[in-house]
Amino acid sequence: MHRYSHYFPVRTAADHLDVVPLLQAGFASRAGHTLLEFNGVATSFAEMEHLVKRMRAWLQQQGIARGDRVALMLDNGLEHMALIYALMLTGAVWVPVNTRLKAPGISYLLGHCKPALFVAQPGFADALAGLDTPPARLAWINEIALPEVAADAPLTAEPVAPEDTLCLIYTSGTTGAPKGVVFTHRMMRIASEGTVIVSAVKAGDRMFVWEPLCHIGGAQLLLVPFLEEVSLHVIERFSATRFWPQVEQAQATHLHYLGGILDILCQLPPEVQPARHTLRVGWGAGVSAKAWDGIKNRLGIALRECYGMTEGSSFTTVNNTGKTGSIGRALPWLRVELLDDGDRPVPIGELGQIVVSSEVEGCFLPGYLDNPKASAEARRGGKLYTGDMARMDADGDLFFVGRKTDSMRVRGENVSAWEIERIFVMHPAIAAAAAIGVDSEVGEQEIMLYVQFKEGMQESFDALARWAHSRLASYQLPRYYLRAEAFETTLSERIRKHLLSRDLSAAWDRNAHASK
C-alpha cells in the first residue's frame, strides 16, 4: 500500500504519484480518444504520442539528456505541448519563459538557470535581439526538422523519480527579482490531481484552456486527460471578444479563471453572451463575496473558488459548498493553519498567515533555485509559509484576504488591497483598479487607488469616493486617486504593482476636497 494511496488513486502498478508512468499508460490505453483540440482541430492520444516520439528523437539529436534544462518561449500550440510531454519523458527540466517578458527579464532568467537549449518562436525575435548575452543554443520552433519515427515504435522514457525536477517555474516578480520554483514530477502530478478535485470534472467533460502553458494554471492541465476521460480545448491566448464563439465551437463545460478574467467577461455587452451555453463550472481564484452572485447570475455557471500557490503544487483549498466568497477548506492531503507573526493560531474571524503542511511527501517545493534565503523563509519545520492572509469563520471555512506584502497599515488596521480593489471593479465605469500604500504625514500609511476606466466611460473621483463610502469601512477608503490608461499585468492578469508610482503630486486628494 502506497503511503499516499489514502488520498490519491493508484492509477498504475508502477504509480508512485509521479508523471512518466501515467503518460505511458494513458498513451497506451486511450489511443483512439481525443486528447485535445487546438483552435478547433482534434488530436488523438495516438497522434500526440507519435509527435512526442519525434520530439524525443529531436531532443536526443540535440544532445539533451536527463537533468538538462530546456527553456521554451512559445505561445500555446500543438508542437509546444508535444515538446513538454517529450521533456517529461526525457527527464529534462522544462523552463517555461513568460511570453510577455522583454529582453531584460529574459536575460535575467537565462543567466539565472543557464539552460542547455532555448526554443522560441519568431514572434519573440525582437525581444531576443536585445538580450545582454545570447542563449548558449537557440532553436526556432518553426525551423525544427523532426526525425521520422515508426508509428509502432515503443514510447520509451528515462528512469525519472518523483522527486526529480520537472520544471523551473519563475514567479511573476511583482516584488524583487523573480524566484525559480523547483517544481518536481510529484508536484505536477499532485497539481493535476488537485485540478480534478477543484474543477469537479467527470468523464465526457471538455475543459477550455486559455492559460499560457508557461503559467502553472495552464501547465497543470496537461495531465488531466490522463487522469480522467476528458478533453482539452486549447486556444493560443485569451480574447474577450472571441471567448463566447470559441466556447460554442468547443462545447466547453469547464472554465478556469484567474485574475480579472470573470470581471472582463461580465463587462462585455450582454447581447454577446449566448442565452444558452455549455459552460457549467468556473473554477479558480479571484471572486469576492460582493461580486459572487452577480458573476454567477450573469455567466450562468457554478463557482468553485479555490486557493493555492505554485510552491504548494498549485492547490491548497476548494469551496465545494458554494458558500459566497469563501475559498473553502483544505484538500484531503493538506492541513491549513492560520498563524500570527509568532506562529500562534489566530482566533476565529481574525487575520492570519496561511501555513500548510502534509503527511504526503513531496507536496511542496524543495526550494527556490540557488536562493537558500528565500527557500528557508518559505519552508520551515516541514511547513509551507505562503505569505498569504486569510480568515476562518465559525464553520471552518476560509476567506482569502490578500498577500501579506500587499496590505497596508491604516489607522491601526491591516487593510487588504485585494478587498478594496474587488469593490471598485464593481463600479459600472471601472475596468480595473489597483490599491497601494503610500506614506502618511501622521504615521503608518494612506491608500492610493489607480483606476482604469472602461472605454468611453469616466467618473469623477469625487463621485467615486462618495460611491465607495457606503461600501467600504472608513479605514479602507482610498485617500488618493489617480487615473491609469492601462496596467501592465502578469500572465495571470494580476497588476504589476511595483511599477506604479507613489508620487502624489498629480493625485486627487479626498481629504483636500472634503475640507472645502
Side-chain angles (χ1 to χ4, degrees):
M1 178 72 69
H2 293 301
R3 182 176 178 181
Y4 56 83
S5 60
H6 177 66
Y7 306 107
F8 302 97
V10 177
R11 311 271 181 177
T12 71
D15 199 338
H16 293 277
L17 199 55
D18 52 10
V19 169
V20 169
L22 183 72
L23 290 177
Q24 290 179 308
F27 281 128
S29 64
R30 303 202 63 211
H33 295 265
T34 297
L35 170 60
L36 64 96
E37 289 186 8
F38 175 64
N39 287 343
V41 179
T43 298
S44 69
F45 279 79
E47 290 167 330
M48 176 59 81
E49 180 185 11
H50 187 62
L51 184 54
V52 170
K53 292 174 188 174
R54 297 181 69 192
M55 283 291 185
R56 278 213 68 202
W58 178 77
L59 288 170
Q60 291 168 353
Q61 286 182 347
Q62 308 309 305
I64 298 300
R66 178 183 173 188
D68 289 341
R69 296 170 186 165
V70 179
L72 307 183
M73 190 172 186
L74 303 167
D75 283 331
N76 289 356
L78 189 62
E79 290 78 11
H80 187 182
M81 298 174 78
L83 186 49
I84 295 170
Y85 290 133
L87 290 171
M88 292 175 177
L89 293 166
T90 302
V93 179
W94 164 36
V95 184
V97 180
N98 186 328
T99 52
R100 293 186 183 178
L101 287 179
K102 304 302 181 184
I106 302 169
S107 293
Y108 169 82
L109 183 150
L110 297 181
H112 190 251
C113 72
K114 299 177 176 59
L117 177 65
F118 187 15
V119 183
Q121 62 192 60
F124 305 120
D126 289 345
L128 298 183
L131 296 180
D132 297 333
T133 304
R137 294 168 60 202
L138 173 63
W140 298 107
I141 189 71
N142 60 310
E143 296 178 359
I144 291 177
L146 294 179
E148 292 298 330
V149 176
D152 59 352
L155 180 65
T156 60
E158 297 303 312
V160 181
E163 63 272 16
D164 287 348
T165 303
L166 186 148
C167 58
L168 295 172
I169 301 180
Y170 278 81
T171 61
S172 299
T174 51
T175 56
K179 300 186 290 289
V181 176
V182 176
F183 206 87
T184 66
H185 280 249
R186 174 160 289 177
M187 289 174 69
M188 186 63 80
R189 174 64 180 275
I190 292 173
S192 302
E193 298 275 5
T195 299
V196 171
I197 293 176
V198 169
S199 65
V201 292
K202 60 182 185 299
D205 284 339
R206 303 157 74 89
M207 307 185 80
F208 189 76
V209 183
W210 61 269
E211 305 91 323
L213 295 175
C214 54
H215 186 277
I216 186 58
Q220 66 199 6
L221 290 165
L222 291 171
L223 298 182
V224 174
F226 294 83
L227 297 172
E228 296 291 335
E229 293 182 0
V230 302
S231 56
L232 306 180
H233 294 260
V234 187
I235 59 173
E236 288 177 330
R237 62 185 64 85
F238 177 80
S239 166
T241 57
R242 297 174 59 199
F243 174 81
W244 286 112
Q246 289 170 330
V247 165
E248 185 175 11
Q249 180 185 25
Q251 295 290 288
T253 59
H254 285 65
L255 170 67
H256 183 216
Y257 60 85
L258 289 170
I261 292 298
L262 297 188
D263 294 325
I264 293 170
L265 294 177
C266 287
Q267 291 166 8
L268 293 173
E271 59 269 18
V272 307
Q273 179 178 321
R276 298 173 64 88
H277 57 75
T278 54
L279 282 180
R280 298 197 323 270
V281 176
W283 56 284
V287 180
S288 68
K290 295 281 188 181
W292 190 275
D293 289 337
I295 288 175
K296 276 182 59 180
N297 295 335
R298 168 61 196 273
L299 300 181
I301 58 176
L303 293 177
R304 292 177 64 86
E305 183 83 354
C306 65
Y307 163 80
M309 61 191 306
T310 305
E311 289 88 334
S313 299
S314 189
F315 295 108
T316 299
T317 71
V318 61
N319 176 350
N320 56 16
T321 67
K323 179 179 284 190
T324 300
S326 174
I327 58 173
R329 304 184 185 188
L331 293 175
W333 54 91
L334 299 174
R335 176 172 180 252
V336 170
E337 302 171 272
L338 300 184
L339 304 181
D340 63 18
D341 289 340
D343 275 358
R344 296 176 295 265
V346 299
I348 296 296
E350 295 295 317
L351 196 63
Q353 181 181 181
I354 299 172
V355 179
V356 191
S357 56
S358 178
E359 64 178 22
V360 176
E361 293 182 8
C363 280
F364 312 133
L365 82 165
Y368 297 105
L369 181 66
D370 298 334
N371 194 336
K373 180 176 183 295
S375 301
E377 290 172 353
R379 291 205 57 173
R380 306 200 300 271
K383 299 180 179 181
L384 178 66
Y385 286 70
T386 67
D388 287 325
M389 309 297 285
R391 296 185 179 94
M392 181 183 290
D393 68 10
D395 297 329
D397 292 310
L398 296 163
F399 292 79
F400 179 79
V401 175
R403 289 291 297 170
K404 192 175 182 181
T405 55
D406 194 19
S407 63
M408 296 148 280
R409 186 75 175 175
V410 181
R411 294 186 289 282
E413 297 282 353
N414 289 318
V415 181
S416 163
W418 185 84
E419 290 182 313
I420 296 170
E421 293 156 2
R422 303 312 296 169
I423 293 297
F424 276 94
V425 296
M426 294 176 66
H427 190 283
I430 294 178
I436 59 175
V438 295
D439 291 338
S440 171
E441 64 268 20
V442 293
E444 296 189 323
Q445 292 178 297
E446 297 283 2
I447 302 167
M448 181 157 70
L449 186 77
Y450 278 84
V451 175
Q452 179 186 349
F453 291 104
K454 296 177 184 177
E455 186 175 353
M457 301 183 71
Q458 194 161 343
E459 185 69 272
S460 72
F461 288 140
D462 181 64
L464 281 182
R466 284 187 277 107
W467 178 87
H469 191 269
S470 63
R471 294 168 170 83
L472 291 168
S474 59
Y475 57 83
Q476 294 176 312
L477 290 169
R479 174 175 173 179
Y480 301 102
Y481 291 76
L482 269 173
R483 177 172 180 170
E485 295 301 324
F487 290 113
E488 184 169 339
T489 61
T490 68
L491 281 167
S492 55
E493 302 299 328
R494 292 185 176 91
I495 295 169
R496 298 171 66 88
K497 291 187 179 180
H498 67 292
L499 300 178
L500 299 176
S501 171
R502 266 69 175 172
D503 184 2
L504 302 177
S505 59
W508 184 87
D509 184 350
R510 175 171 55 88
N511 287 2
H513 288 76
S515 63
K516 291 182 180 178

